[in-house]
Coordinates of all heavy atoms in Angstrom, one line a residue:
I139 N 6.2 116.7 57.1 CA 4.9 116.4 57.6 C 3.9 117.5 57.3 O 2.8 117.3 56.9 CB 5.0 116.1 59.1 CG1 5.7 114.8 59.4 CG2 3.6 116.0 59.7 CD1 6.0 114.6 60.8
L140 N 4.4 118.8 57.5 CA 3.6 119.9 57.2 C 3.2 120.0 55.7 O 2.0 120.2 55.4 CB 4.3 121.2 57.7 CG 3.5 122.5 57.6 CD1 2.3 122.5 58.6 CD2 4.4 123.7 57.9
L141 N 4.1 119.8 54.8 CA 3.8 119.9 53.4 C 2.9 118.7 53.0 O 1.9 118.9 52.2 CB 5.1 119.7 52.6 CG 6.1 120.9 52.7 CD1 7.4 120.6 51.9 CD2 5.4 122.2 52.1
A142 N 3.1 117.5 53.6 CA 2.2 116.4 53.3 C 0.8 116.7 53.8 O -0.2 116.4 53.1 CB 2.7 115.2 53.9
W143 N 0.6 117.3 54.9 CA -0.7 117.6 55.5 C -1.4 118.7 54.6 O -2.5 118.5 54.3 CB -0.5 118.1 56.9 CG -1.8 118.6 57.5 CD1 -2.9 118.0 57.9 CD2 -2.1 120.0 57.6 NE1 -3.9 118.8 58.3 CE2 -3.5 120.1 58.1 CE3 -1.5 121.2 57.3 CZ2 -4.1 121.3 58.3 CZ3 -2.1 122.4 57.6 CH2 -3.4 122.5 58.1
F144 N -0.7 119.7 54.3 CA -1.3 120.8 53.6 C -1.6 120.5 52.1 O -2.7 120.6 51.7 CB -0.5 122.1 53.8 CG -1.2 123.3 53.2 CD1 -2.3 123.9 53.8 CD2 -0.7 123.9 52.0 CE1 -2.9 125.0 53.3 CE2 -1.3 125.0 51.4 CZ -2.4 125.6 52.1
F145 N -0.5 120.2 51.4 CA -0.6 119.9 50.0 C -1.2 118.6 49.6 O -1.8 118.4 48.5 CB 0.7 120.1 49.3 CG 1.2 121.5 49.3 CD1 2.1 121.9 50.2 CD2 0.7 122.5 48.3 CE1 2.6 123.3 50.2 CE2 1.1 123.8 48.4 CZ 2.1 124.2 49.2
G146 N -1.0 117.6 50.5 CA -1.5 116.3 50.2 C -2.9 116.0 50.7 O -3.7 115.4 50.1
I147 N -3.2 116.4 52.0 CA -4.5 116.1 52.6 C -5.5 117.2 52.5 O -6.6 117.0 52.1 CB -4.2 115.7 54.1 CG1 -3.4 114.5 54.2 CG2 -5.6 115.5 54.8 CD1 -3.0 114.1 55.6
V148 N -5.0 118.5 52.9 CA -6.0 119.6 52.8 C -6.3 119.9 51.4 O -7.5 120.0 51.0 CB -5.4 120.8 53.6 CG1 -6.3 122.0 53.4 CG2 -5.2 120.5 55.0
L149 N -5.3 120.2 50.5 CA -5.6 120.6 49.2 C -5.7 119.4 48.2 O -6.3 119.5 47.2 CB -4.5 121.5 48.6 CG -4.3 122.8 49.3 CD1 -3.1 123.6 48.8 CD2 -5.5 123.6 49.3
G150 N -5.1 118.2 48.6 CA -5.2 117.0 47.7 C -4.4 117.2 46.4 O -4.8 116.6 45.4
W151 N -3.4 118.1 46.3 CA -2.7 118.3 45.1 C -1.7 117.2 44.8 O -1.4 116.9 43.7 CB -2.0 119.6 45.0 CG -2.9 120.8 45.0 CD1 -4.3 120.7 44.9 CD2 -2.6 122.2 45.1 NE1 -4.9 122.0 44.8 CE2 -3.8 122.9 45.0 CE3 -1.4 122.9 45.3 CZ2 -3.8 124.3 45.1 CZ3 -1.4 124.2 45.4 CH2 -2.6 124.9 45.2
F152 N -1.0 116.6 45.9 CA 0.1 115.7 45.7 C -0.2 114.5 46.5 O -0.8 114.6 47.6 CB 1.4 116.3 46.1 CG 1.8 117.5 45.2 CD1 1.6 118.8 45.6 CD2 2.5 117.3 44.0 CE1 1.9 119.9 44.9 CE2 2.8 118.4 43.2 CZ 2.6 119.7 43.7
P153 N 0.3 113.3 46.1 CA 0.2 112.1 46.9 C 1.2 112.2 48.1 O 2.2 113.0 48.0 CB 0.6 111.0 45.9 CG 1.5 111.7 44.9 CD 0.9 113.0 44.8
I154 N 1.0 111.6 49.2 CA 1.8 111.7 50.4 C 2.6 110.5 50.7 O 3.3 110.4 51.7 CB 0.9 112.0 51.6 CG1 -0.1 111.0 51.9 CG2 0.3 113.4 51.4 CD1 -0.9 111.2 53.2
A155 N 2.6 109.4 49.8 CA 3.3 108.2 50.1 C 3.7 107.5 48.9 O 2.9 107.6 47.8 CB 2.5 107.2 51.0
G156 N 4.9 106.8 48.8 CA 5.3 106.1 47.7 C 6.0 106.9 46.6 O 6.0 108.1 46.7
A157 N 6.6 106.2 45.7 CA 7.3 106.8 44.6 C 6.5 106.9 43.4 O 6.8 107.7 42.5 CB 8.6 106.1 44.3
Y158 N 5.5 106.1 43.3 CA 4.6 106.1 42.1 C 3.3 105.4 42.5 O 3.2 104.7 43.6 CB 5.2 105.5 40.9 CG 5.7 104.1 41.1 CD1 4.9 103.0 41.0 CD2 7.1 103.9 41.4 CE1 5.5 101.7 41.2 CE2 7.6 102.7 41.6 CZ 6.8 101.6 41.5 OH 7.3 100.3 41.7
S159 N 2.3 105.5 41.7 CA 0.9 104.9 42.1 C 1.0 103.4 42.0 O 1.8 102.9 41.2 CB -0.1 105.4 41.0 OG -0.2 106.8 41.2
F160 N 0.3 102.7 42.9 CA 0.3 101.3 42.9 C -0.3 100.7 41.6 O -0.1 99.5 41.4 CB -0.6 100.8 44.1 CG 0.1 101.2 45.5 CD1 -0.6 102.1 46.3 CD2 1.3 100.7 45.8 CE1 0.0 102.4 47.5 CE2 1.9 101.0 47.0 CZ 1.3 101.9 47.9
S161 N -1.1 101.4 40.9 CA -1.7 100.9 39.7 C -0.7 100.9 38.5 O -1.0 100.3 37.5 CB -2.9 101.7 39.3 OG -2.6 103.1 39.1
L162 N 0.4 101.5 38.7 CA 1.4 101.6 37.6 C 2.6 100.7 37.9 O 2.9 100.3 39.0 CB 1.9 103.0 37.4 CG 0.9 104.1 37.0 CD1 1.5 105.5 37.0 CD2 0.3 103.7 35.7
R163 N 3.3 100.4 36.8 CA 4.6 99.6 36.9 C 5.7 100.5 36.2 O 5.4 101.2 35.3 CB 4.5 98.3 36.2 CG 3.6 97.3 36.9 CD 4.2 96.8 38.2 NE 3.3 95.9 39.0 CZ 2.4 96.3 39.9 NH1 2.4 97.6 40.2 NH2 1.7 95.4 40.5
P164 N 6.9 100.4 36.8 CA 8.0 101.2 36.2 C 8.2 100.9 34.8 O 8.6 99.8 34.4 CB 9.2 100.8 37.1 CG 8.6 100.3 38.4 CD 7.3 99.6 38.0
T165 N 8.1 101.9 34.0 CA 8.3 101.9 32.5 C 8.8 103.2 32.1 O 8.7 104.2 32.8 CB 7.0 101.5 31.7 OG1 6.0 102.5 32.0 CG2 6.5 100.1 32.1
W166 N 9.4 103.3 30.9 CA 9.8 104.5 30.3 C 8.6 105.2 29.5 O 8.8 105.5 28.3 CB 11.0 104.3 29.4 CG 12.3 104.0 30.2 CD1 12.9 102.8 30.3 CD2 13.0 104.8 31.0 NE1 14.0 102.8 31.0 CE2 14.1 104.1 31.6 CE3 12.9 106.2 31.4 CZ2 15.0 104.7 32.4 CZ3 13.8 106.8 32.2 CH2 14.9 106.0 32.7
S167 N 7.5 105.4 30.2 CA 6.4 105.9 29.4 C 6.1 107.3 30.1 O 6.5 107.5 31.2 CB 5.2 105.1 29.6 OG 4.8 105.0 31.0
W168 N 5.5 108.2 29.4 CA 5.2 109.5 29.9 C 4.2 109.5 31.1 O 4.4 110.3 32.1 CB 4.6 110.4 28.8 CG 5.6 110.9 27.8 CD1 5.8 110.6 26.5 CD2 6.7 111.8 28.1 NE1 6.8 111.2 25.9 CE2 7.4 112.0 26.9 CE3 7.1 112.5 29.2 CZ2 8.5 112.9 26.8 CZ3 8.2 113.4 29.1 CH2 8.9 113.6 27.9
A169 N 3.3 108.5 31.0 CA 2.4 108.4 32.2 C 3.1 108.1 33.5 O 2.8 108.7 34.5 CB 1.3 107.4 31.8
F170 N 4.1 107.1 33.4 CA 4.8 106.8 34.6 C 5.7 107.8 35.0 O 5.8 108.2 36.2 CB 5.6 105.5 34.3 CG 6.5 105.1 35.5 CD1 5.9 104.5 36.6 CD2 7.8 105.4 35.5 CE1 6.7 104.1 37.7 CE2 8.6 105.0 36.6 CZ 8.1 104.4 37.7
L171 N 6.5 108.5 34.1 CA 7.3 109.6 34.5 C 6.6 110.8 35.1 O 7.2 111.3 36.1 CB 8.2 110.1 33.3 CG 9.1 109.0 32.6 CD1 9.7 109.6 31.4 CD2 10.2 108.6 33.7
L172 N 5.5 111.1 34.6 CA 4.7 112.2 35.2 C 4.2 111.8 36.6 O 4.2 112.7 37.5 CB 3.5 112.6 34.3 CG 3.9 113.3 33.0 CD1 2.7 113.5 32.1 CD2 4.6 114.7 33.3
D173 N 3.8 110.7 36.7 CA 3.3 110.2 38.1 C 4.5 110.1 39.0 O 4.3 110.4 40.2 CB 2.7 108.8 37.9 CG 2.0 108.3 39.2 OD1 1.0 108.8 39.6 OD2 2.7 107.4 39.9
L174 N 5.7 109.7 38.5 CA 6.9 109.7 39.4 C 7.3 111.1 39.9 O 7.5 111.3 41.1 CB 8.1 109.1 38.5 CG 9.4 108.8 39.3 CD1 9.1 107.6 40.2 CD2 10.5 108.5 38.3
L175 N 7.2 112.1 39.0 CA 7.4 113.5 39.4 C 6.4 113.9 40.3 O 6.7 114.7 41.3 CB 7.5 114.4 38.2 CG 8.7 114.3 37.2 CD1 8.5 115.1 36.0 CD2 9.9 114.7 38.0
H176 N 5.1 113.5 40.2 CA 4.1 113.9 41.1 C 4.3 113.4 42.5 O 4.0 114.2 43.5 CB 2.8 113.4 40.5 CG 1.5 114.0 41.1 ND1 0.4 113.3 41.3 CD2 1.3 115.3 41.5 CE1 -0.6 114.1 41.8 NE2 0.0 115.3 41.9
H177 N 4.8 112.3 42.7 CA 5.1 111.7 44.0 C 6.4 112.3 44.5 O 6.6 112.4 45.7 CB 5.2 110.2 43.9 CG 3.9 109.5 43.9 ND1 3.2 109.4 42.7 CD2 3.3 108.8 44.8 CE1 2.1 108.7 42.9 NE2 2.1 108.3 44.2
W178 N 7.4 112.7 43.7 CA 8.7 113.1 44.0 C 8.7 114.6 44.5 O 9.5 115.0 45.4 CB 9.6 113.1 42.8 CG 10.9 113.8 42.9 CD1 12.0 113.4 43.4 CD2 11.1 115.1 42.4 NE1 13.0 114.3 43.2 CE2 12.5 115.4 42.6 CE3 10.4 116.0 41.7 CZ2 13.1 116.6 42.2 CZ3 10.9 117.3 41.3 CH2 12.3 117.5 41.6
F179 N 7.7 115.4 44.2 CA 7.8 116.8 44.5 C 7.8 117.1 45.9 O 8.6 118.0 46.3 CB 6.5 117.5 43.7 CG 6.6 119.0 44.0 CD1 7.4 119.8 43.2 CD2 5.8 119.6 45.0 CE1 7.5 121.2 43.4 CE2 5.9 121.0 45.1 CZ 6.7 121.8 44.4
L180 N 6.9 116.6 46.7 CA 6.9 117.0 48.1 C 8.1 116.5 48.9 O 8.7 117.4 49.6 CB 5.6 116.3 48.8 CG 4.3 117.0 48.5 CD1 3.2 116.4 49.2 CD2 4.3 118.5 48.7
P181 N 8.7 115.3 48.8 CA 10.0 115.1 49.4 C 11.1 116.0 48.9 O 11.9 116.5 49.7 CB 10.3 113.6 49.0 CG 9.0 113.0 48.6 CD 8.1 114.1 48.1
F182 N 11.1 116.3 47.6 CA 12.1 117.2 47.1 C 12.0 118.6 47.7 O 12.9 119.3 48.2 CB 12.0 117.3 45.6 CG 12.7 118.5 45.0 CD1 14.1 118.6 44.9 CD2 11.9 119.6 44.6 CE1 14.6 119.7 44.3 CE2 12.5 120.8 44.1 CZ 13.9 120.8 44.0
A183 N 10.7 119.1 47.8 CA 10.4 120.4 48.3 C 10.9 120.6 49.8 O 11.4 121.6 50.2 CB 9.0 120.8 48.1

């Protein structure tokens, strides 16, 4: 919760919900993989 508040809401660096953006569909593309890592970082951290 603390990481989501600080890095997601205060700084806006990372998304705070979901595994990928709602505008994307799972594919083996660089755009999707980078977006997947972007959403993955805070839970991993």
Side-chain angles (χ1 to χ4, degrees):
I139 293 172
L140 187 63
L141 292 175
W143 170 77
F144 185 71
F145 290 102
I147 297 176
V148 176
L149 299 180
W151 290 355
F152 296 97
I154 61 173
Y158 52 87
S159 299
F160 294 116
S161 59
L162 298 177
R163 290 290 177 269
T165 58
W166 291 107
S167 63
W168 285 110
F170 175 77
L171 293 177
L172 291 175
D173 188 73
L174 191 69
L175 288 172
H176 198 211
H177 285 73
W178 165 86
F179 181 79
L180 287 183
F182 161 78

